[in-house]
Amino acid sequence: QVQLVESGGGLVQPGGSLRLSCAASPSRSIFSITAMAWFRQAPGKQRELVASITRLGSTDYSDSVKGRFTVSKNRAGTTMYLQMNDLKPEDTAVYYCNRLSHGDSWGQGTQVTVSS
């Protein structure tokens, strides 16, 4: 079955940058009328919405990442990205991509660890 696959996570120092990618496997468009989004979940915390982007390119961000993160997608709608700059320890979490109006299915996510 087609599933969303997150990649690009890793260990980075505070103030550093990472770019996450989200794509379907097998490859296909992941956008429809419903917007796509990035979520994250830190240990002991609820999963939270980080950023979203619509099929037409409209974006929205949580207050905690606004000004530091940028969500984008390629023209074909096959890949969604999350450019993360000025990373902080509190950004440490597993990052997931999904529909903004998500169901109960989630991929494995990609781990982002911000530590000195």
Side-chain angles (χ1 to χ4, degrees), residues 47-100:
R47 200 192 319 267
E48 65 172 330
L49 176 64
V50 176
S52 64
I53 184 168
T54 69
R55 190 176 187 175
L56 296 179
S58 297
T59 60
D60 199 9
Y61 302 90
S62 68
D63 290 339
S64 62
V65 308
K66 193 171 298 181
R68 299 187 298 121
F69 291 11
T70 303
V71 62
S72 63
K73 62 181 181 67
N74 65 355
R75 185 178 179 181
T78 55
T79 310
M80 178 175 66
Y81 306 96
L82 185 67
Q83 178 66 47
M84 306 184 295
N85 298 325
D86 191 24
L87 283 161
K88 303 176 180 180
E90 52 263 42
D91 295 318
T92 296
V94 177
Y95 284 70
Y96 303 88
C97 62
N98 210 333
R99 290 154 51 98
L100 180 58

